[in-house]
Amino acid sequence: MYDVLTDISVQLGKESSSIKLIYLDANFPFFDGFPLLPHLSHNDGKKIDVSFIYKKDNKPTNLKPSRSGYGVFVKPKENEVNQTENCKEKKYWQYDFTKYVTFGAINNEIEFSKQATKKLIKLIASNKKVSKIFIEPHIKARLNLNSSKIRFHGCQAVRHDDHIHFQIK
């Protein structure tokens, strides 16, 4: 994972020298096989969450909308699939659980950068060691992404419209 993150970071730096790849959660650092809650699947060093890229004054920024990087969502527009509603209607109560782990919303002046986040996801998808990428269906559609690596993670997980989850082989 370290090599994959380094490769993606270097490529991202070539696109924009001021933007950094910011990871949120990978694995509990002290015990193998123990996930950092609430991520039950982050237990083998092959899965990681990275932040979307945002913009301030129409320029990409490393700022995030919450202290943890989680819980401030890029919600679906009226004409987009609302997977959160679909999952909550099916009684998956944990689906938007990350709204409780923001540790405070900050940087209210920033906006989701479609262009920079799309570039980041394409960089991740182009890495041969990456096997899966999870984001919400409305984000995939909004960014017009078509890689077979980009998938819906299912209602049993938490929603992925506040971060990108990817895993390696």
Side-chain angles (χ1 to χ4, degrees):
M1 181 59 80
Y2 177 81
D3 292 341
V4 171
L5 288 172
T6 300
D7 182 51
I8 294 168
S9 295
V10 167
Q11 289 183 52
L12 186 62
K14 289 177 183 175
E15 297 278 334
S16 174
S17 61
S18 65
I19 296 300
K20 297 180 178 5
L21 178 67
I22 298 177
Y23 75 90
L24 306 174
D25 170 36
N27 212 59
F28 193 69
F30 305 114
F31 304 105
D32 287 341
F34 191 83
L36 189 60
L37 298 174
H39 296 96
L40 300 178
S41 71
H42 292 213
N43 63 356
D44 60 6
K46 295 183 177 186
K47 300 164 185 88
I48 194 162
D49 290 342
V50 296
S51 180
F52 286 154
I53 299 175
Y54 295 84
K55 60 186 178 178
K56 180 178 180 181
D57 300 326
N58 228 14
K59 294 178 189 165
T61 179
N62 291 309
L63 295 174
K64 305 298 166 233
S66 74
R67 294 187 195 287
S68 70
Y70 294 108
V72 177
F73 306 111
V74 178
K75 296 177 181 171
K77 296 180 179 180
E78 202 170 294
N79 62 336
E80 295 175 329
V81 172
N82 191 329
Q83 194 61 54
T84 302
E85 288 299 316
N86 294 342
C87 289
K88 288 172 76 175
E89 285 174 9
K90 294 176 183 173
K91 307 296 183 215
Y92 288 96
W93 62 269
Q94 83 293 344
Y95 199 72
D96 65 352
F97 180 78
T98 53
K99 68 184 177 186
Y100 299 113
V101 293
T102 63
F103 301 120
I106 55 174
N107 302 315
N108 295 327
E109 72 282 4
I110 65 174
E111 305 174 55
F112 176 70
S113 174
K114 288 177 22 180
Q115 182 179 5
T117 300
K118 180 176 182 173
K119 283 182 185 178
L120 173 58
I121 294 171
K122 287 178 117 182
L123 284 175
I124 295 168
S126 70
N127 189 293
K128 290 178 177 26
K129 293 181 182 175
V130 172
S131 60
K132 295 178 188 173
I133 301 168
F134 295 150
I135 56 174
E136 291 296 313
H138 70 274
I139 299 291
K140 182 178 179 180
R142 188 179 304 176
L143 300 181
N144 195 26
L145 295 165
N146 56 18
S147 169
S148 62
K149 293 181 181 182
I150 302 170
R151 304 176 185 171
F152 174 58
H153 45 282
C155 290
Q156 72 284 356
V158 295
R159 63 194 277 188
H160 287 80
D161 54 354
D162 58 349
H163 68 282
I164 304 159
H165 167 104
F166 74 88
Q167 51 198 69
I168 60 174
K169 300 173 187 175

